[in-house]
Amino acid sequence: NGYTYWSLLFMLVVELHHLWAERRAWSGLRDLISPPEASVLRQLGVLASRRRCVLLGILEDLDLYTDLAFPFIALACDDERVITTLWSDAWDKVPVLGHLMSHIILTLRFFGVALIAVGLNVVVSGITKIFSMMAAALTHRDSMKFWEAQQWRIPTEVFFNWAQAAECAMMPSVAVLSEEMAAGQRYRYRPNADSATNTKMREDYEHGKVTEEALMTSGIHDTAEEDKIQAVERRHFNLILFQKVFLGNVLALWLQSSFLALTFQDGYSAAQIKLIISMIFSGLQAAVRCCRVSSQTGVAGLSVSILVMFFVAWSFLKVY
């Protein structure tokens, strides 16, 4: 039957605490936004997307719970090693790595492979992220003293660190708001630049007196800071694709679909229906995150997202 329904009462308490923590985090971050910035974010639909992101965070909590329960469901359903044997035989027919994977599966059993996958997700997306948050807080502690000299402008890296912390806490609403606040700092003016000098450099460029690189570096826009923010932004969204989508969704989907495909002939039990619901949660999360990353990173993110959604569709076709 899978996990007991009484355990959902514990998840209800967790979700209530999650909503309370999300409200406090959102309010604290919202207080840092000036009225003009709030108007821009409202026009972009960032503030209005909070409800959808909160719902996504709740689904992520439930999906993590079902993923943690999956190895033990596999252990209970495979007490005679029937599923392990079927899965090993299927891998044995795969060329190159199939024979090695077959031996690994026979040694670890289906339960062991699923437990390693879930443990990897918890370590990389959870424990490692907590330590990285602590390291980021210590790194930026000294920079806080210079905010007054920078006219109280919070560094862009801090916003992305907050976004990573929000992703770790399963608060997509706070993460999206932090990302947009960081992106808003992409275009800034040089403190000592003036428009007259920029106009003169453009005239010299038209007459071939200066190079394009000299023109870009002498403008009133801080192109170096813009490139730096774009690099941090790409790293942030790449981490989302790897940690949240691949380790958190795709890997679990593949294992759960393999389990359901191997037990299909036994009909659909309560445990299998719960796994299908978990797969739906994972598929929705992967689709939403791939759409968000693709809109922010362009062609590179789109190509990776297409590959991810291919594996998601493949997982559901295995169940079908």
Side-chain angles (χ1 to χ4, degrees), residues 54-71:
V54 169
L55 179 60
L56 180 64
I58 293 175
L59 291 180
E60 190 173 355
D61 281 343
L62 296 174
D63 182 49
L64 178 61
Y65 169 71
T66 55
D67 289 346
L68 291 174
F70 170 64

Side-chain angles (χ1 to χ4, degrees), residues 201-253:
M201 290 294 294
R202 288 184 178 275
E203 293 177 354
D204 292 342
Y205 174 74
E206 293 294 335
H207 293 88
K209 297 180 179 179
V210 296
T211 61
E212 183 178 0
E213 183 179 357
L215 175 65
M216 296 299 296
T217 56
S218 64
I220 59 176
H221 292 287
D222 194 344
T223 55
E225 184 66 20
E226 181 179 349
D227 294 339
K228 178 181 177 182
I229 293 176
Q230 288 180 347
V232 176
E233 187 178 37
R234 285 194 298 268
R235 177 178 176 273
H236 168 70
F237 286 111
N238 288 335
L239 285 176
I240 290 179
L241 281 177
F242 176 71
Q243 295 178 348
K244 286 292 183 178
V245 179
F246 180 74
L247 291 181
N249 300 132
V250 175
L251 190 57
L253 268 173

Side-chain angles (χ1 to χ4, degrees), residues 242-290:
F242 176 71
Q243 295 178 348
K244 286 292 183 178
V245 179
F246 180 74
L247 291 181
N249 300 132
V250 175
L251 190 57
L253 268 173
W254 178 68
L255 288 172
Q256 291 171 358
S257 62
S258 298
F259 179 85
L260 290 173
L262 294 171
T263 58
F264 178 79
Q265 65 273 13
D266 299 330
Y268 286 102
S269 62
Q272 291 171 314
I273 294 175
K274 293 173 184 177
L275 287 180
I276 293 176
I277 295 175
S278 175
M279 291 178 61
I280 293 174
F281 289 166
S282 297
L284 287 175
Q285 290 181 69
V288 171
R289 293 185 185 280
C290 284

Side-chain angles (χ1 to χ4, degrees), residues 145-197:
K145 303 176 182 179
F146 300 98
W147 283 6
E148 185 174 0
Q150 299 174 4
Q151 299 179 352
W152 297 98
R153 190 183 187 97
I154 301 176
T156 307
E157 294 84 356
V158 173
F159 283 116
F160 280 116
N161 288 334
W162 289 347
Q164 288 290 331
E167 290 288 354
C168 178
M170 301 180 187
M171 298 179 184
S173 57
V174 181
V176 170
L177 184 58
S178 299
E179 292 164 2
E180 292 297 333
M181 292 174 68
Q185 298 191 20
R186 180 181 304 169
Y187 307 104
R188 65 170 63 178
Y189 293 104
R190 297 178 184 273
N192 300 323
D194 60 272
S195 57
T197 303

Side-chain angles (χ1 to χ4, degrees), residues 6-21 61-62:
W6 290 105
S7 61
L8 296 179
L9 294 177
F10 170 75
M11 287 302 302
L12 177 61
V13 176
V14 172
E15 292 303 329
L16 291 176
H17 177 269
H18 182 196
L19 294 175
W20 173 79
D61 281 343
L62 296 174

Side-chain angles (χ1 to χ4, degrees), residues 107-125:
T107 303
L108 298 178
R109 301 180 57 181
F110 198 105
F111 154 77
V113 176
L115 187 62
I116 291 174
V118 172
L120 185 63
N121 180 25
V122 171
V123 170
V124 175
S125 301

